[in-house]
Amino acid sequence: MILINLLPHREAARKRRQDIFNVSLGFSALMGGLLAGMIFLWFQAQISGQQSKNQVLQAEIKRFDAQIKDIAGLETEITALRARQQAVEDLQADRNMPVHLLTELVKQLPDGVYIASMRQDSQNVTLQGVAQSNERVSELLRNLGNNTPWFSRPELVEIVSGAVALTARDQRRIANFTIRVRLTRAGEAEQQRVAVAVTAAQNAASTPVKK
């Protein structure tokens, strides 16, 4: 006996394929949604972790800024203390400056040079005097600049020719001068003395020995 299927099998097969496609599409959408959600959660976790790191870094930066301000304040205090210490040392050194001034001036005065007045303003000393000639004044300038560590930068301010009457008939020409020179403090004089000694030793070592 031959059985004949009168049902619309093509429509049923098409419906099955459509159902399978819809199920596959829904499963794909579900898997895509799950994957997108997992990626979103992963990115959210990374962002949260980075934000936590940024907060830690900002807290450390604020802490370091506070420490830097404290260090700057300490450096300012140290600078002020050093300045006060230097001022005290300079005052102590300046107490002996008049002694060094008179002692060294007596040593460096050439014959025929006489000091009439002397004025000291801090480390600057102005000398006014009389010399037998201009050459004596030049010799005094060389002595003050080269022969002593207690004076530096001698400067001839003025020199004026004059005359002095020894007797009614005997008159001598003289040179009235004004010299400005800087008086060196004890610490500076010691440094200059050491530098001169080192230079002299180097010159002696470089001088060839004659046989």
Side-chain angles (χ1 to χ4, degrees):
M1 180 178 178
I2 300 173
L3 299 176
I4 299 174
N5 186 5
L6 298 177
L7 297 174
H9 63 90
R10 290 188 178 87
E11 286 78 3
R14 186 179 301 111
K15 187 176 182 303
R16 285 196 303 272
R17 290 194 298 271
Q18 184 68 33
D19 292 340
I20 293 172
F21 175 76
N22 290 335
V23 171
S24 299
L25 183 62
F27 180 77
S28 298
L30 178 62
M31 294 301 296
L34 291 174
L35 182 60
M38 293 176 61
I39 293 175
F40 175 77
L41 292 176
W42 182 80
F43 275 114
Q44 285 296 111
Q46 294 294 321
I47 291 172
S48 298
Q50 188 61 46
Q51 288 177 346
S52 300
K53 292 180 181 178
N54 290 342
Q55 291 177 356
V56 173
L57 288 175
Q58 289 176 356
E60 292 295 322
I61 289 172
K62 290 181 180 178
R63 186 170 65 86
F64 283 128
D65 287 340
Q67 292 179 354
I68 290 172
K69 290 181 180 178
D70 293 339
I71 293 173
L74 290 175
E75 290 179 347
T76 303
E77 292 180 2
I78 291 173
T79 302
L81 288 174
R82 287 179 177 173
R84 286 196 290 267
Q85 180 183 2
Q86 185 64 42
V88 172
E89 292 177 354
D90 290 342
L91 287 174
Q92 292 177 348
D94 291 347
R95 291 172 57 187
N96 297 325
M97 288 178 67
V99 177
H100 297 305
L101 169 62
L102 296 176
T103 303
E104 289 298 316
L105 191 58
V106 170
K107 292 180 181 178
Q108 303 307 325
L109 277 180
D111 293 336
V113 177
Y114 307 93
I115 300 297
S117 66
M118 182 189 322
R119 185 176 68 256
Q120 180 182 357
D121 181 13
S122 182
Q123 289 181 258
N124 297 317
V125 180
T126 303
L127 304 174
Q128 292 181 335
V130 179
Q132 292 180 353
S133 62
N134 293 344
E135 289 75 15
R136 300 289 187 180
V137 179
S138 300
E139 184 179 356
L140 175 60
L141 288 171
R142 287 193 300 270
N143 291 348
L144 295 177
N146 302 325
N147 294 347
T148 174
W150 294 101
F151 292 107
S152 63
R153 300 199 295 268
E155 175 188 2
L156 179 62
V157 179
E158 182 183 38
I159 184 168
V160 179
S161 298
V164 59
L166 299 180
T167 62
R169 297 182 179 181
D170 187 7
Q171 290 187 350
R172 298 286 182 87
R173 294 187 61 82
I174 58 172
N176 298 300
F177 64 86
T178 301
I179 292 176
R180 186 181 297 115
V181 67
R182 182 177 182 273
L183 183 60
T184 307
R185 288 192 170 98
E188 298 173 349
E190 183 63 26
Q191 293 177 0
Q192 187 174 353
R193 187 183 295 108
V194 172
V196 171
V198 170
T199 303
Q202 292 176 349
N203 294 336
S206 62
T207 302
V209 179
K210 295 183 180 179
K211 297 182 178 179

